[in-house]
Amino acid sequence: MTPDVPTLELRGLGKRHAPGLPPVVDDLNLTAAPGELLTLLGPSGCGKTTTLRLIAGLEHPDAGTVLLDGRDVTHPHVPPERRGVGLVFQEYALFPHLDVLGNVAFGLRHLPRAERLPRARETLALVGLTVFESRFPHQLSGGQQQRVALARALAPRPRVLLLDEPFSNLDAQLRHTTRQEVRAILRRSGTTAILVTHDQEEALAFSDRLVLMRAGRAEQTGTPQEVYTRPRTAFVANFLGRSNLLSGTADRLMARTALGILPLSEAAQGPVLVSVRPEHLAFTDDPAGTPVVITARDFRGRDATYTVQLSGAGNAQELVVHDATGRVLPEGTPARVQVLRPARVVR
């Protein structure tokens, strides 16, 4: 493989579950570079898991091509066991009758017997579980079981590791720490990985790049920061974090909206829909601020999320404001808000 060849490339990939039904995956194009951590993010039914299954060879595409290290594995169909792809699912599927070492070594039957245990121990060291090699799955925590499943998938040294909602069965704190550990392990191993999730926080924290999917297509692709700060559509703005969407009329770098005249991040003209992130709104004592009424408050310890309604006869526009100042504004309190950053025009 030459350095400029992607580890994974999808070209025009398409899949329907039955003739006449809408496509589950529709003309999907994406690449993953060597060592890249790529996330497929989107709501249930958007085609994330089907895409993973097409990459793995568990399903046949109706259209398009999957290439691994530049090699077409769809024409003819290359079976999963010959693709050099590792799989980690929600259910760890560890063998209860095998200890940790036996579980990791199970996927190494293609190696000479003398090489299996050294490779398994080497991989256990990578995931920090060497001291647990003689334990059985029921003797491990959920996070440790997840790392055993990861070690079993990494031991054969796959070209690409596919992770389908691997942290969803863990509680919130364990999910956070296990995600960090898995990301660090993949970095150390240099493995290209594709994560499927519907959890936006997970996608932002884990990924080098993310693909936000909708109805089988890639709605937007980019680094987490790019997609979050520069959403192209209302769907992206609302799915990846919350957003306040306001109709308005633009004149170059300004737009007149129910929130007042807002600066824009890029020039536009005529009717527009703009996105203002909740953290880009702030309460203010400045009489020039836009009057609102507090309708709800969600306290989360270090910050709070307020729902406010614009004041004025017949104005039912609600907005969301993130506040980290520690102030307490009860429901029904009148207040004023100001916009801290330019709004983003979305489709």
Side-chain angles (χ1 to χ4, degrees), residues 225-241:
Q225 183 178 7
E226 288 169 350
V227 179
Y228 184 84
T229 59
R230 297 196 290 277
R232 294 177 191 158
T233 68
F235 172 80
V236 174
N238 252 341
F239 191 87
L240 194 63

Side-chain angles (χ1 to χ4, degrees), residues 292-294 311 329-330 332-336:
V292 298
V293 175
I294 308 295
S311 300
L329 298 173
T333 302
R336 290 181 180 272

Side-chain angles (χ1 to χ4, degrees), residues 16 18-22:
R16 296 175 190 267
L21 292 180

Side-chain angles (χ1 to χ4, degrees), residues 89-135:
F89 297 104
Q90 293 180 31
E91 303 296 337
Y92 313 137
L94 300 178
F95 298 111
H97 64 289
L98 296 179
D99 60 18
V100 166
L101 186 62
N103 266 280
V104 176
F106 185 84
L108 300 174
R109 289 172 296 173
H110 64 289
L111 293 180
R113 185 179 298 273
E115 296 180 23
R116 294 176 194 170
L117 290 185
R119 174 77 69 84
R121 287 194 169 101
E122 176 187 336
T123 312
L124 281 175
L126 178 68
V127 302
L129 288 177
T130 302
V131 296
F132 298 115
E133 69 172 44
S134 61
R135 291 194 185 182

Side-chain angles (χ1 to χ4, degrees), residues 59-81:
E59 295 193 27
H60 295 245
D62 298 324
T65 305
V66 176
L67 295 99
L68 291 168
D69 292 337
R71 181 172 72 101
D72 184 351
V73 294
T74 47
H75 307 97
H77 179 80
V78 177
E81 65 273 14

Side-chain angles (χ1 to χ4, degrees), residues 136-216:
F136 288 85
H138 71 274
Q139 297 173 313
L140 303 175
S141 69
Q144 289 166 344
Q145 289 182 39
Q146 181 61 278
R147 281 191 283 161
V148 174
L150 179 65
R152 186 174 60 187
L154 287 174
R157 297 178 182 168
R159 293 180 176 122
V160 179
L161 183 66
L162 307 177
L163 304 118
D164 189 6
E165 306 272 8
F167 312 115
S168 61
N169 289 337
L170 304 175
D171 63 56
Q173 183 57 40
L174 188 55
R175 184 163 63 244
H176 174 76
T177 56
T178 303
R179 183 178 68 225
Q180 287 182 317
E181 291 169 352
V182 168
R183 192 177 194 278
I185 290 163
L186 293 172
R187 280 280 183 256
R188 289 197 298 271
S189 67
T191 303
T192 302
I194 314 295
L195 170 72
V196 157
T197 184
H198 63 272
D199 186 320
Q200 55 184 271
E201 179 184 339
E202 191 165 279
L204 291 170
F206 186 86
S207 315
D208 296 321
R209 273 191 312 135
L210 63 85
V211 181
L212 185 48
M213 295 184 65
R214 182 186 189 190

